[in-house]
């Protein structure tokens, strides 16, 4: 699975002019299931994100996790993280998991983050979403379970 993680002071996702998920301080996680991903990949990614030390400690160093800070996580599906731009000018998305599988793994991932002890809000899989955020830092990190 692929994820783009952004440390935020706040974030929300809106569908059809209705806010369907929002958080205060924490992480916005844009996530994409790839061909061949499974529940174990989703759980591994969730555990890594929950423990990733990218929040400041008392000395101002990035030494605390979202678990340590009591922050929340907004999980938003984003198949465009599978973009292949190696040839031509139009990205290809054939490496993304098929929609039914992608949705299943997206929901499993969100639940796996909850199981880490975090408060989780979500977007709506497959919807045209408007994501608003205030990136804190800015801190933006790319994770891919295939790159172990």
């Amino acid at each position: 699975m692929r994820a783009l993680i952004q440390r935020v002071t706040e974030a929300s996702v809106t569908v059809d002019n209705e806010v369907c998920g929002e958080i205060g301080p924490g992480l916005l996680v844009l996530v994409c299931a790839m061909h061949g991903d499974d529940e174990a990949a989703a759980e591994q990614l969730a555990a890594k994100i929950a423990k990733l030390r990218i929040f400041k400690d008392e000395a101002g160093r990035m030494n605390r996790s979202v678990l340590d800070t009591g922050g929340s996580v907004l999980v938003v599906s984003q198949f465009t993280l599978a973009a292949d731009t190696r040839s031509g000018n139009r990205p290809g998305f054939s490496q993304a998991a098929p929609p039914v599988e992608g949705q299943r793994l997206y929901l499993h991932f969100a639940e796996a983050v909850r199981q880490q002890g975090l408060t989780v809000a979500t977007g709506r899989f497959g919807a045209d979403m408007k994501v608003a955020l205030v990136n804190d830092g800015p801190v933006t990190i790319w994770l891919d379970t295939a790159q172990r």
Side-chain angles (χ1 to χ4, degrees), residues 14-114:
T14 303
V15 176
D16 295 329
N17 296 317
E18 177 186 332
V19 175
C20 63
E22 64 184 326
I23 62 168
L27 297 174
L28 168 63
V29 179
L30 305 173
V31 66
C32 177
M34 306 292 287
H35 273 290
D37 284 340
D38 58 14
E39 290 84 358
E43 292 161 11
Q44 173 195 13
L45 186 61
K48 179 75 171 182
I49 289 169
K51 297 172 186 139
L52 197 61
R53 297 181 345 188
I54 60 172
F55 290 86
K56 293 179 183 177
D57 63 12
E58 300 77 24
R61 296 183 63 200
M62 287 198 298
N63 209 20
R64 300 180 74 204
S65 70
V66 67
L67 280 168
D68 297 332
T69 65
S72 300
V73 180
L74 177 57
V75 178
V76 177
S77 62
Q78 187 169 354
F79 81 95
T80 59
L81 291 176
D84 181 353
T85 59
R86 290 177 290 182
S87 66
N89 294 318
R90 183 172 184 262
F93 303 103
S94 62
Q95 292 304 307
V100 171
E101 183 72 1
Q103 182 175 23
R104 186 180 69 75
L105 288 170
Y106 163 71
L107 295 172
H108 188 80
F109 171 76
E111 183 56 32
V113 175
R114 278 188 195 93

